Amino acid sequence: MNTPLAAKAAMPPQRLQSASAIAHASVGNVGVGFDILGHCIAGAADRVEVRRIDTATVRIAGIHGCVEVLPIDAAQNTAGMALLALRKALGLQHGFELSLHKGIALGSGMGGSAASCVAALVAANALLERPLSRESLYGFALEGEAVASGGRHGDNVGPMLLGGLVIATRDRLLRIPVPPTWHCALVHPHVVLETRKARAALVGDYALGEFVAQSANLALVLAGCWRGEAELVREGLKDVLIEPRRAPLVPNFARVKQAALDHKAMGASISGGGPSVFGWFEHRAEAEAAAEAMRSAFAEAGLDSDSFVAPVDGPAASLIPSIDASEQA
C-alpha cells in the first residue's frame, strides 16, 4: 500500500542513529600564546564513532589505534566527559555510546586528548535534533580537556573546532587569518611527556618584564598573521616565558630548534606541553627540509621521530562517512 504524498510530506525526517568524526592534531600555545593560541595541522588525527542509545548514559565501547590503554569510565575519559557535559547541559533523555580510534599519541604535545573529545562532540552533535554551532560546543570540549590536563584551556580544542589558527579565551573563539602558503613542520620524538608534568615545570616566580616581552611578541605574531607579513612573525615568534622552563624536558631541544631556524623558520618552539617541536615557514619546501634536519637532531639524542608538514591554516574537525572509510582515504 502506497503512502499518500501529503502523508509523506508530514512525516518527520529520520534521525541519525550514529555518526563518525575526525579531529586533527594541533600545535598548542604556538610558543607565545600560552593556553590561548593554537592551530591544527593535518597528518595525524583521532577518529570517533558515536551511536545514539536509549539508555540515559555515556559509555565507551572500545579504544583502538596507537593508544589503547585509556579509561573506559566516561567521567575519566576526555571524550566521555565531553559528552556527559553535553547531555547534562541539554537535558537529553537519550545517551551515547562511542568508539575511539586514536591516531595521535598521548603525551606528545600534539593535542591527543583534545582531539578525542572534539571528534566525539562533532559526531554527537550530528545526532541532535537541533545541532549546535561549533562555538557552542566549546564549553563541553573544555570540560573534556580538563580531565587530561587538569585545567580548562582551549589552545588545542579551539582550533580543532574551528580550524586554522585560533585565539581561545575562556568564553570566546576567534579564528586568525594566516597566508595559505605558510607551513608548519612538526616533529614528534618517540618519548612521552605527560601534560601534568609539563605544567608542573611552570610553577615558580616570573618577572614582570617577562610578561611584557611575551605580550609584545604575541602582538607581533598576531599582527603578522592578520597582515600577512612574515617579518613581524619572525620578530615576535620567540617564547621568553614558557620555553625556558620546559626546554630541559625535551631531549636535545636546543639543537632541534636551531635546525628549524637554520632552515629559514620564522620561529620555532615547543608544541603544547612537548616533547614535539614545531617551526613556522613561509613555504612548504623550507618546512620539509627543516623537518628532516629536526629529526636528525632528535636522532643525535638517540630518539626516533615522526614529522608532519602541513599548512598552518589546518582543517577543522569534520564528519566522515565512517571510521573505516576515513582510514582507507
Side-chain angles (χ1 to χ4, degrees), residues 23 42 54 70 84 94 106 129-130 154 163-164 201 222 245 255 264:
D54 293 332
L70 285 173
L84 286 171
H94 64 83
L106 297 182
E129 288 187 27
R130 295 191 178 104
L222 295 178
R245 293 161 175 81
R255 289 279 296 115
K264 302 181 180 180

Side-chain angles (χ1 to χ4, degrees), residues 137-160:
L137 296 177
Y138 181 45
F140 309 128
L142 291 177
E143 290 290 328
E145 173 75 330
V147 172
S149 66
R152 291 169 56 90
H153 51 87
D155 56 321
N156 290 305
V157 298
M160 291 177 185

Side-chain angles (χ1 to χ4, degrees), residues 19-22 117-127 134 137 161 317-319:
S20 298
I22 183 172
C117 73
V118 169
L121 282 168
V122 169
N125 192 46
L127 305 181
R134 290 297 177 94
L137 296 177
L161 284 167
S318 61
L319 293 172

Side-chain angles (χ1 to χ4, degrees), residues 135-210:
E135 288 82 359
S136 297
L137 296 177
Y138 181 45
F140 309 128
L142 291 177
E143 290 290 328
E145 173 75 330
V147 172
S149 66
R152 291 169 56 90
H153 51 87
D155 56 321
N156 290 305
V157 298
M160 291 177 185
L161 284 167
L162 296 190
L165 179 68
V166 171
I167 294 178
T169 69
R170 184 181 66 178
D171 302 311
R172 181 185 292 273
L173 296 177
L174 177 63
R175 185 164 180 171
I176 307 299
V178 179
T181 58
W182 289 7
H183 276 67
C184 176
L186 178 66
V187 180
H188 168 228
H190 295 177
V191 62
V192 174
L193 177 53
E194 295 181 358
T195 301
R196 291 175 187 265
K197 182 178 179 181
R199 295 186 82 83
L202 305 182
V203 175
D205 296 327
Y206 294 78
L208 180 60
E210 292 177 319

